[in-house]
Amino acid sequence: MTTAAELVETITRAIQEKKGTGIVVADLSKIDGAIAQYFVICQGNSPAQVEAIAESVGDMVRTERGEKPVGVVGLETDQWVAIDFVDVLVHIFLPEVRSFYDLEHLWEDASLTRVADID
């Protein structure tokens, strides 16, 4: 069985494969009533890139971990795609939408880990 931390690692690599940037992992495991153990937040520079990142995450998690999301929303507009793996929620934003919702500050009592962008 895949742990949430292993899932986060696979999701992070899937995001990086499609050049997603600004990856932040929010550890919510110590927050009472949190809806997941982790949020993985990132951005793509265009709707096409947001969709490509979402597809990469789904494909890599299915291939490497044998897991499928229980839900995916936002693919209609590709401005904010949320992928629900129960213990891990992935949020893929366009930059302006990410700034507007500012999830990192909404969950500021979580432990935040910023993942370096790769070229």
Side-chain angles (χ1 to χ4, degrees):
M1 179 139 173
T2 302
T3 67
E6 290 170 331
L7 204 51
V8 166
E9 187 272 329
T10 302
I11 289 164
T12 300
R13 281 190 297 106
I15 293 166
Q16 290 173 326
E17 185 174 273
K18 295 299 178 184
K19 306 289 190 230
T21 59
I23 302 171
V24 174
V25 177
D27 182 345
L28 310 175
S29 62
K30 293 179 177 51
I31 299 174
D32 288 339
I35 58 175
Q37 289 183 36
Y38 295 94
F39 275 8
V40 180
I41 304 163
C42 71
Q43 65 192 44
N45 291 318
S46 68
Q49 188 183 18
V50 167
E51 185 171 335
I53 294 167
E55 287 176 7
S56 179
V57 168
D59 291 347
M60 194 175 285
V61 169
R62 186 176 57 256
T63 302
E64 293 186 11
R65 301 291 177 191
E67 307 255 348
K68 291 182 182 175
V70 295
V72 179
V73 294
L75 288 172
E76 318 71 48
T77 61
D78 295 322
Q79 294 184 30
W80 175 7
V81 175
I83 307 172
D84 184 353
F85 289 101
V86 182
D87 290 333
V88 181
L89 284 173
V90 184
H91 300 275
I92 309 162
F93 290 100
L94 286 177
E96 59 274 13
V97 179
R98 182 180 187 170
S99 293
F100 180 80
Y101 287 101
D102 200 11
L103 290 186
E104 290 93 332
H105 285 98
L106 186 64
W107 291 95
E108 63 189 343
D109 45 351
S111 171
L112 300 179
T113 302
R114 298 186 192 288
V115 178
D117 292 342
I118 57 173
D119 293 325

